[in-house]
């Protein structure tokens, strides 16, 4: 029998990123087995193929049971031990960023964090008085008194609005990216906490359905 007496260890991270439309198990999983031939064949198994150009379809959720089912189709007698996530996400990125672009983004982010932290410290020292900070900063840069409406205030207002939209991933009713918004993430976390509370309360009260009931 194929795979008879063999134990295959499977480990898949919860979030996987691939750069090819055809997703094989070797692209997302770490596989170990004493049968080298079996391990090589399992790694080459095709799990999914991304088609189309809709970015919404570039993110797919899988259960590890689908992977186990795929392996059992070829090795029905194999024992599979999953030591990774029970459910995982595969993200397809058709155009991976070059290292130069990544370094540029990191540099821009560092500059933003530097000036953002400096502004936070100055407003904290001034007892959260942004007007005084802008006035003194404008005076030091230009040598003239602030009129109250300078490029600093205008940039602050625009940056605040843009920052809120980017953080909440929404412009009106339209999402900027397909990633879950902070509110959606918070709601999922809340639902998980509620489910955990129900399970623990039922277990303590002896109302859970178990094999001994």
């Amino acid at each position: 029998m194929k795979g008879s007496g063999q134990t295959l260890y499977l480990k898949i991270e919860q979030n996987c990123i691939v750069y090819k439309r055809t997703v094989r198990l070797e692209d997302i999983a770490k596989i170990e087995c004493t049968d080298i031939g079996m391990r090589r064949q399992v790694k080459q198994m095709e799990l999914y193929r991304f088609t189309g150009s809709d970015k919404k379809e570039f993110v797919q959720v899988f259960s590890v049971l689908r992977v186990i089912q795929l392996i059992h189709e070829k090795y029905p007698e194999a024992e599979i031990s999953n030591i990774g996530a029970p459910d995982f996400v595969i993200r397809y990125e058709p155009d991976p960023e070059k290292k130069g672009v990544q370094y540029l983004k990191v540099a821009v982010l560092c500059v933003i964090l530097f000036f953002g932290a400096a502004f936070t410290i100055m407003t904290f020292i001034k007892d959260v008085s942004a007007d005084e900070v802008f006035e003194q900063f404008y005076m030091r840069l230009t040598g003239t008194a602030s009129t109250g409406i300078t490029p600093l205030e205008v940039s602050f207002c625009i940056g605040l609005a843009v920052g809120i939209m980017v953080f909440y991933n929404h412009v009106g009713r339209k999402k900027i990216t397909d990633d879950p918004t902070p509110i959606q993430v918070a709601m999922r976390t809340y639902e998980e906490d509620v489910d955990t509370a129900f399970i623990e309360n039922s277990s303590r009260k002896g109302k859970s359905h178990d094999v001994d009931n």
Side-chain angles (χ1 to χ4, degrees):
M1 298 296 291
K2 289 186 176 181
S4 178
Q6 295 292 333
T7 300
L8 185 142
Y9 296 92
L10 182 70
K11 182 180 179 181
I12 304 177
E13 300 295 336
Q14 192 172 22
N15 195 314
C16 305
I17 299 177
V18 296
Y19 304 103
K20 296 180 292 185
R21 288 187 176 271
T22 301
V23 182
R24 304 185 186 278
L25 291 185
E26 65 177 353
D27 299 324
I28 62 171
K30 294 181 179 179
I31 301 169
E32 177 57 32
C33 181
T34 55
D35 189 331
I36 299 177
M38 176 181 174
R39 180 177 60 187
R40 185 183 301 111
Q41 291 293 326
V42 170
K43 284 185 175 182
Q44 294 300 318
M45 288 183 177
E46 181 178 324
L47 176 64
Y48 188 76
R49 183 186 296 270
F50 288 94
T51 58
S53 58
D54 190 355
K55 292 185 177 181
K56 293 183 179 179
E57 298 179 357
F58 288 176
V59 180
Q60 298 292 329
V61 180
F62 289 86
S63 169
V64 74
L65 292 177
R66 177 66 186 94
V67 179
I68 295 175
Q69 180 187 44
L70 181 65
I71 298 174
H72 276 162
E73 289 176 359
K74 187 168 185 177
Y75 299 99
E77 300 297 325
E79 296 183 8
I80 302 175
S81 178
N82 177 46
I83 58 176
D87 299 286
F88 57 94
V89 178
I90 298 180
R91 298 174 183 270
Y92 168 58
E93 294 188 2
D95 298 315
E97 292 183 344
K98 297 181 179 179
K99 288 187 176 180
V101 177
Q102 295 179 354
Y103 292 151
L104 179 61
K105 286 185 175 180
V106 172
V108 172
L109 182 61
C110 290
V111 172
I112 294 174
L113 291 176
F114 174 79
F115 285 103
F119 176 75
T120 302
I121 294 172
M122 288 187 290
T123 53
F124 177 77
I125 294 175
K126 285 292 185 180
D127 197 18
V128 199
S129 178
D131 292 339
E132 293 184 18
V133 173
F134 284 141
E135 290 176 1
Q136 293 185 14
F137 191 69
Y138 187 80
M139 174 67 74
R140 292 178 182 274
L141 284 178
T142 63
T144 59
S146 173
T147 60
I149 302 178
T150 66
L152 292 176
E153 284 81 8
V154 175
S155 300
F156 177 76
C157 294
I158 296 175
L160 185 63
V162 173
I164 292 174
M165 289 187 292
V166 171
F167 178 78
Y168 285 103
N169 197 20
H170 265 288
V171 178
R173 295 184 178 181
K174 187 176 181 180
K175 293 178 66 177
I176 300 175
T177 66
D178 295 328
D179 295 333
T181 65
I183 295 178
Q184 291 175 324
V185 173
M187 287 301 298
R188 298 293 86 77
T189 303
Y190 171 75
E191 290 177 357
E192 291 178 359
D193 291 340
V194 171
D195 293 340
T196 301
F198 272 124
I199 293 172
E200 291 181 354
N201 290 338
S202 297
S203 178
R204 291 176 182 177
K205 295 178 181 180
K207 296 182 178 180
S208 61
H209 297 273
D210 206 342
V211 291
D212 294 330
N213 292 345

